[in-house]
Amino acid sequence: LADVVLRPMRPDDVERLVQITAETGFFYKEEVEVAQGVLEEAAAGEASGYQVQVAVQNGDVAGYVCFGPTPLTRGTWDIYWIAVDTHHQNQGIGRTLMQAAEEAIGAQKGRLILVETSSRDLYEPTRRFYRAMDYKEESYISDFYDVGDGRVTYTKALPWGGQQEMPP
Ligand SMILES: CC(C)(COP(=O)(O)OP(=O)(O)OC[C@H]1O[C@@H](n2cnc3c(N)ncnc32)[C@H](O)[C@@H]1OP(=O)(O)O)[C@@H](O)C(=O)NCCC(=O)NCCS
């Protein structure tokens, strides 16, 4: 994993991150458009509810992870998007991005992480990736995204364990 550095996203990263998302070939046009909207909001700051870490390898932006606290929960977080440029995949960048997200979430008192994906065959490598990251397949809803395209939700509990102060 030579020369990979992580840093928070900057507004001038949006275009490249959208390109990476589209070029994976994993996302429908509407999904890429939603990802673009999310990245634009995230670029505006943390008040958006989105945080994005970018991986840079030898000066090239190679991937990103977008995550944020799940609204109306105490300590549950969602990883909304993760994508690594096709030329940079299978070198450990995805793992590094997931670890960075987990560290940031733990540092902000997150205790449970959710990540969702599709049950389609195309996403079998993605599901293997989440299992390799020690995520547990916690729920499956068939025909969720479309007929024949179910939603799989993976979870990971962080060791921190939820010692968050209860709000009034
Ligand atoms: C999923 C994705 C983010 C993984 O990133 P990556 O940089 O290729 O993954 P890594 O090299 O860090 O792999 C980490 C582990 O996952 C596993 N893994 C990753 N890709 C895999 C594949 N195609 N097949 C099998 N296992 C895979 C490896 O076993 C690896 O384990 P190891 O570190 O013990 O060797 C990337 O492949 C991607 O962008 N895919 C397309 C978009 C996508 O599916 N995003 C998620 C949408 S929900």
Side-chain angles (χ1 to χ4, degrees), residues 24 26-27 80-85 88-96 115-118 123 125-126 128-130 132-133:
T24 62
F26 272 67
F27 302 106
Y80 294 110
W81 301 89
I82 179 164
V84 173
D85 179 70
H88 294 84
Q89 287 177 8
N90 300 313
Q91 297 176 45
I93 294 176
R95 175 185 287 277
T96 305
V115 57
E116 297 179 351
T117 196
S118 157
Y123 281 90
T126 303
R128 282 207 297 271
F129 169 73
Y130 293 132
M133 300 299 105

Side-chain angles (χ1 to χ4, degrees), residues 18-85:
V18 172
Q19 183 190 28
I20 288 173
T21 310
E23 284 180 1
T24 62
F26 272 67
F27 302 106
Y28 295 119
K29 190 166 163 281
E30 310 88 83
E31 292 175 311
V32 175
E33 284 163 10
V34 169
Q36 174 159 10
V38 165
L39 290 166
E40 281 165 359
E41 279 187 51
E46 277 191 21
S48 64
Y50 300 120
Q51 301 175 26
V52 179
Q53 285 285 326
V54 167
V56 181
Q57 187 171 36
N58 302 319
D60 292 338
V61 172
Y64 71 98
V65 59
C66 173
F67 52 96
T70 311
L72 306 181
T73 68
R74 280 180 212 153
T76 298
W77 286 60
D78 271 292
I79 293 184
Y80 294 110
W81 301 89
I82 179 164
V84 173
D85 179 70

Side-chain angles (χ1 to χ4, degrees), residues 1 14 32 42 58 71 77 85 90 92 108-109 139 156 158 165:
L1 189 64
V14 171
V32 175
N58 302 319
W77 286 60
D85 179 70
N90 300 313
Q108 294 169 87
K109 302 204 171 182
S139 86
K156 186 179 211 171
L158 295 180
E165 245 179 71

